[in-house]
Amino acid sequence: MKLRYSATSPYVRKVLATAIETGLDGQVERVPTDPWSAETDLPASNPLGKVPALELDDGMVLFDSPVICEYLDSLHGGAKLHPDGAARWPALRLAAIGDGICDAAINRLLDTRRPDTLQSADWQQRQKAAMARACDLLEAEAAALDGPVTIGQLTVACALGYLDLRFDADQWRQGRPKLTAWFEAFSQRPSIASTTPPK
Ligand SMILES: N[C@@H](CCC(=O)N[C@@H](CS)C(=O)NCC(=O)O)C(=O)O
């Protein structure tokens, strides 16, 4: 399997963390890819032009990180990151919150990179507010982050790591002691510690 990846993408990080947690890291060849490069051939793999994209040995390409993570989770016999039964929906809900933080953060970041005259303060504020509300929910529901590791915790950890990378000035830890403590502890896991994005 070949993973089209960029080292700073939180979605890619989640896929790499999933590969490590599932023991499949050695089977995933990493292909550095800049989705923003004019020369990139990424759209030939993923017409949406986004990383991550996972090229399988039979030629099929999987994209959108939740699909890739669930695929990797289907390939091993250990404890599942996408549990069945009652634990499934809380795990997927956490994952959706984490992915949503990333979506809002990237929307906001991309707007800050537009020419000044094209930027929208309202749009950036809307994304910032969504990020803050999602972090507030995680603080209020911090107990849900305990327990066996799932795709939910991995996604949230990658999202908070992305806030540290791109929106350090927001100081997401402020007023959120439970989430802060959980993140510091969870970040010791090899799957998270070894995938920290470069500053
Ligand atoms: N929903 C997608 C989001 C992927 C995504 O937005 N990736 C960014 C990098 S962090 C990208 O490749 N952007 C290029 C573009 O939007 O053209 C997923 O979960 O995989």
Side-chain angles (χ1 to χ4, degrees):
M1 296 178 273
K2 290 185 182 168
L3 179 68
R4 307 293 300 257
Y5 96 111
S6 117
T8 53
S9 165
Y11 310 101
V12 170
R13 186 181 185 192
K14 177 180 55 170
V15 169
L16 292 175
T18 295
I20 293 167
E21 292 284 351
T22 55
L24 295 166
D25 191 32
Q27 296 179 42
V28 178
E29 183 186 336
R30 303 180 188 192
V31 181
T33 303
D34 177 359
W36 301 104
S37 162
E39 282 85 45
T40 185
D41 64 348
L42 179 60
S45 285
N46 177 0
L48 301 171
K50 293 176 194 271
V51 290
L54 185 70
E55 300 173 352
L56 304 184
D57 296 342
D58 67 3
M60 183 161 79
V61 182
L62 296 179
F63 34 80
D64 231 65
S65 57
V67 177
I68 298 173
C69 290
E70 190 150 5
Y71 174 74
L72 292 176
D73 205 19
S74 77
L75 296 182
H76 71 112
K80 294 294 179 186
L81 297 172
H82 300 74
D84 287 329
R88 180 171 180 80
W89 303 111
L92 294 188
R93 179 172 180 267
L94 268 184
I97 292 166
D99 278 334
I101 290 173
C102 295
D103 293 345
I106 287 171
N107 280 339
R108 183 175 159 201
L109 181 73
L110 293 181
D111 199 61
T112 65
R113 291 181 172 173
R114 304 176 86 199
D116 283 353
T117 52
L118 295 178
Q119 289 188 30
S120 164
D122 283 352
W123 177 251
Q124 290 179 27
Q125 184 52 41
R126 182 176 175 83
Q127 306 310 318
K128 184 177 180 182
M131 292 155 65
R133 285 193 305 266
C135 288
D136 286 344
L137 184 145
L138 291 170
E139 173 70 14
E141 300 185 8
L145 292 162
D146 292 334
V149 66
T150 69
I151 193 64
Q153 290 122 313
L154 291 178
T155 309
V156 168
C158 294
L160 295 176
Y162 192 68
L163 298 189
D164 283 342
L165 178 70
R166 297 294 193 210
F167 291 102
D168 207 24
D170 282 7
Q171 299 190 316
W172 66 261
R173 290 172 179 77
Q174 206 151 20
R176 300 186 184 105
K178 294 179 200 158
L179 187 57
T180 301
W182 172 81
F183 182 65
E184 299 318 319
F186 196 79
S187 295
Q188 306 304 311
R189 288 186 81 83
S191 65
I192 297 300
S194 68
T195 55
T196 304
K199 281 277 183 193

